Amino acid sequence: MKIFGWLYDKVLSWSQHRRAPAILAGLSFSESVIFPIPPDVMLAPMAMTQPQRAWQFAWITTVASVLGGITGYWLGYFLFDPVVIPLVEWAGYEDKLVRVTDWFHAYGFWIIFIAGFSPLPYKLFTVTGGMLSVAFVPFVMGSVISRGLRFFLVAWLLKTGGPKMAVHLRTYVDRIGWGMVILAIIAYVWTR
């Protein structure tokens, strides 16, 4: 099945929308709180097809993501029991919450840095950071540095490749997409 090619084409079309920077900001903000799709899926084609604006898009993504992270932190801080716990139970993420809490206790500041840069679901760490009342300023600094590094790296890679990379990426997008699905299933099974 070649569904990833279709999705790739769709995301590329969204990245050309006249309100694409606002959509990117909304996606970046919401992903740091609750939304499951990372902003890289929008940032990458925008930086690739409009390389002259790649740094602007990286800034938008970073700022909106950190603001979303701060919102997630305060959500965890003030509304963990009445709002977050029912959502965690509904989604069946109790074990993930325990694991993230353990990581906070073991790694402190560094877990925010790692979660912000890696493909780990950053939203789990923002909300849990608030729930655990981790120091706010280091939380924000770790978020700014890690999210900035990640999004500026994505922007640089795609800016460097430019529109020519879009053509090459389109050729392999289905293989890459299915490879990521297989890796996600393996990771899920391995962590259970």
Side-chain angles (χ1 to χ4, degrees):
M1 282 193 311
K2 297 197 174 228
I3 63 168
F4 294 101
W6 176 82
L7 288 171
Y8 178 79
D9 293 338
K10 192 56 113 174
V11 170
L12 274 179
S13 72
W14 292 338
S15 71
Q16 298 298 317
H17 191 277
R18 65 184 182 92
R19 297 195 195 280
I23 296 168
L24 176 63
L27 176 63
S28 301
F29 181 90
S30 62
E31 184 270 339
S32 295
V33 182
I34 194 165
F35 197 65
I37 299 173
D40 310 66
V41 299
M42 187 97 181
L43 171 61
M46 290 173 71
M48 182 171 45
T49 58
Q50 301 173 63
Q52 72 283 2
R53 297 180 65 195
W55 303 133
Q56 176 189 2
F57 298 144
W59 274 115
I60 289 169
T61 309
T62 301
V63 169
S65 180
V66 171
L67 290 174
I70 291 169
T71 302
Y73 178 95
W74 291 119
L75 179 68
Y77 188 84
F78 289 111
L79 299 173
F80 194 80
D81 288 331
V83 175
V84 177
I85 288 292
L87 288 172
V88 167
E89 290 170 350
W90 173 80
Y93 285 174
E94 295 94 336
D95 57 329
K96 289 179 178 56
L97 177 62
V98 170
R99 190 173 318 133
V100 170
T101 302
D102 291 343
W103 288 346
F104 262 104
H105 291 304
Y107 305 110
F109 163 83
W110 292 106
I111 198 62
I112 288 295
F113 186 83
I114 292 166
F117 187 77
S118 73
L120 291 171
Y122 180 60
K123 66 193 103 328
L124 293 175
F125 295 86
T126 64
V127 174
T128 306
M131 186 259 315
L132 295 174
S133 301
V134 300
F136 183 70
V137 172
F139 170 86
V140 172
M141 294 309 297
S143 296
V144 168
I145 294 167
S146 63
R147 296 308 260 184
L149 283 172
R150 174 178 169 171
F151 299 135
F152 275 88
L153 177 63
V154 168
W156 175 76
L157 288 171
L158 280 297
K159 173 185 171 58
T160 303
K164 285 186 273 185
M165 184 180 257
V167 174
H168 295 300
L169 188 57
R170 178 63 176 87
T171 304
Y172 299 103
V173 73
D174 281 302
R175 291 180 201 155
I176 294 167
W178 285 113
M180 295 305 290
V181 167
I182 290 167
L183 286 175
I185 291 169
I186 290 168
Y188 175 76
V189 170
W190 184 58
T191 59
R192 292 203 98 221

